[in-house]
Every structure is written in structure tokens, then in C-alpha cells.
Amino acid sequence: MSRDTGENSRYSLPTRRTVLRTLGVGTAVAALGGVAAGETGDGTQTSARGGTQSTFQADNDCPPCIDDLMGYASLTSELDLPETLMPQHTVELRLDDADVLFPEEGDSDEQTDGEAEGFPDFYFDPVGLAISVGDIIEFPNASADLHTVTAIHPRFFGLPRRIPEGAAPFSSPPVMSGENWIYQFTEPGVYDIMCLPHFDLGMVMRVVVTGDGCEQPKAPAGSEQLPLPVAAVLDAEKLTPQNIIDNGPIAWEDLKGEIPTFNPDELFAEGGEGGSETDGEANPDGEETGTETS
């Protein structure tokens, strides 16, 4: 699948540097030392940063609710919620074992010959899901890495809007291994969702929200403004809104065979270590241009 990487594109092929930086986000956030809170037996939550401890009492009088922007986070995969807030659907946040080797300077051909190609699979499963207006989805983290569940929206790094006009630009906090996050979809339409740490590696999904009297859902336009691995997933034939409605849920295993493989030789051929990163200049609208540096 070819994409415009010239002046009309904000993104180009990721380089070795950007891939390693992306892969390192999980480790960096986890190393903050307890940004995610932990519950104790008496309802007190504790957090730690830089070796210091602080405690606060949870407000048990506040009824559970799903916030339009922040959803509802649980520190375990088990949800203790009122019946009206229990999810109707489950989407797992997953990571398959890495099967790609990035040779370091000085490595010989013999050391890297015959290694598997391609990026590790960071993915939502299912990757395509049709639900009704008002339905709730839970997003348990079934991997050892951290993830987020984030709307593709200009609020996040100026990305193009790929959720309905009336929908809030939501994001979960970092969802650690074994934790859970839930969100209620109250506006009809098509939602393209990403994991922020692994966005450039194609960890995205599509939720189609339907309801009586709603317009026929259409896929958001402008996938040429997205990183290539992201566009490859969202442009897949199986992720067209109507196919998701007719044949969903769409499992990642059923979709991945349709997605081009972006192996290191292809991604780093043009620029090596420097790759094809953009020069970071802003256009009159405040967005980065896709001009490549030599």
C-alpha cells in the first residue's frame, strides 16, 4: 500500500529512531514510580513518585460514573459497578512478542541474517466493533505493556478528527497490565481509536456506533494524513463501517493478513538512522508539514 510522503502528508515512514522511541514509551511511563494509584484494603489509595509516598482517602460517597473525557478506570480487570454501568462489550489491549531486530552499529550481517521481519503486533482485539448508542465497552489490558484508549482527535498532537462531531475527545489514563478502563459511547458515528504510546506502530481500532434514525455511518476521510501503519489498518476492507456492522466483531487475527508488512529494510532504506523524518516546520494552519529532510 503506497502513501504520499511528500509535501501533502504530515507523516512519513517511521525511522529506526522513531520506532525505538515509540517502543520505549511504555518503559518510560512505567518508570515514573507509581503514577497509577493502588488501592489498599481500607479504601485508601496510595501513589509514589521519586521515592516519596502520599496517601489520600477515596471519596466513597461519590457514585461511580463514566466521564465523557476520562471514562472510568479500574485498577483490576474485575469491575465492581452498578448494573447500569456494566459493559456490554470487551476489547482487549494486546501485544504479541516482538519479532523484529534492529541492528546496532557494528553488528555483522551474520548476526542479523535470517531474523524475522516486521514490527511486533500492538493491537486492539477485536479491531473492529459495531455497537448501539449508549453501549459501554471495557478495555482490559491483557499484555505486559501499558496502553491508552484515546480518540484520534486534534486535541492529541494536532491529529485529524476521526470521531463524530458531537463526541468528546476522550482518553484513558495509562492502563497498566491487568488494569481495565471503560467508556460509554453516546454519540452515533464512526470512532477511530488509538493507543498513544503505540500509535505510530498501527495500534488503532474502529468502533461503529449505530442507533434508530441515525445516518449511514461513513469512514472518516484523510487517511493520507496518518502514519503508514495506521492508515494500513484503518483503510483495510474489513474495517469499512458497513462490513463491521454486517460481519463484526472483526478479530485482529482475521485482519492482520490484509495489512502490508513494514519491515526494517523498507522503513530505513531511504534514510538509515536519520530515516525520513520531517523537518518539523509548521504550515499556516499550525500543523507540521510533511517535508522530508535529506
Side-chain angles (χ1 to χ4, degrees):
M1 181 179 299
S2 62
R3 296 282 165 195
D4 178 12
T5 57
E7 294 183 357
N8 294 324
S9 174
R10 289 188 55 209
Y11 288 94
S12 56
L13 288 168
T15 66
R16 177 176 183 273
R17 182 187 306 141
T18 58
V19 169
L20 292 179
R21 184 170 62 236
T22 302
L23 290 172
V25 167
T27 302
V29 176
L32 291 178
V35 170
E39 289 187 346
T40 63
D42 62 0
T44 299
Q45 294 184 327
T46 63
S47 63
R49 181 189 294 272
T52 61
Q53 294 281 340
S54 63
T55 63
F56 62 91
Q57 184 65 37
D59 186 358
N60 295 322
D61 294 330
C62 178
C65 62
I66 302 175
D67 188 81
D68 286 344
L69 282 174
M70 297 179 288
Y72 180 90
S74 172
L75 298 179
T76 70
S77 58
E78 300 297 326
L79 296 172
D80 183 16
L81 293 170
E83 184 73 24
T84 55
L85 295 184
M86 292 301 291
Q88 292 83 34
H89 312 274
T90 299
V91 174
E92 292 186 335
L93 313 176
R94 303 198 66 93
L95 161 65
D96 283 352
D97 290 339
D99 60 356
V100 59
L101 177 67
F102 295 101
E104 298 295 340
E105 185 176 353
D107 285 347
S108 65
D109 292 340
E110 289 77 11
Q111 288 174 293
T112 59
D113 187 40
E115 292 289 342
E117 295 180 338
F119 291 126
D121 283 341
F122 298 88
Y123 60 97
F124 295 86
D125 198 24
V127 66
L129 182 65
I131 66 174
S132 299
V133 170
D135 277 3
I136 298 169
I137 303 178
E138 65 171 339
F139 296 86
N141 185 348
S143 76
D145 204 350
L146 71 82
H147 302 284
T148 72
V149 182
T150 305
I152 299 180
H153 184 275
R155 178 188 178 201
F156 306 102
F157 311 113
L159 292 170
R161 172 189 283 272
R162 297 183 70 87
I163 62 173
E165 284 293 333
F170 60 83
S171 182
S172 73
V175 182
M176 308 299 287
S177 178
E179 295 178 357
N180 203 349
W181 187 74
I182 66 174
Y183 193 76
Q184 185 171 31
F185 293 80
T186 58
E187 293 289 336
V190 176
Y191 294 73
D192 287 346
I193 298 170
M194 63 178 166
C195 169
L196 272 172
H198 307 120
F199 175 60
D200 281 341
L201 299 183
M203 187 169 177
V204 293
M205 74 166 298
R206 176 166 288 163
V207 174
V208 181
V209 182
T210 63
D212 294 339
C214 297
E215 295 182 0
Q216 183 76 10
K218 297 180 180 179
S223 62
E224 69 278 357
Q225 300 178 28
L226 301 171
L228 294 180
V230 171
V233 173
L234 296 178
D235 283 349
E237 185 66 27
K238 287 183 177 178
L239 282 196
T240 59
Q242 193 60 50
N243 186 70
I244 293 174
I245 293 171
D246 293 341
N247 301 303
I250 309 299
W252 172 254
E253 192 64 30
D254 295 335
L255 181 73
K256 64 181 295 184
E258 296 185 6
I259 300 172
T261 299
F262 300 99
N263 64 52
D265 288 341
E266 293 173 329
L267 296 178
F268 311 140
E270 294 185 6
E273 182 73 22
S276 54
E277 293 191 29
T278 62
D279 60 9
E281 293 181 358
N283 64 22
D285 296 326
E287 296 183 348
E288 290 184 357
T289 66
T291 306
E292 298 180 359
T293 55
S294 58

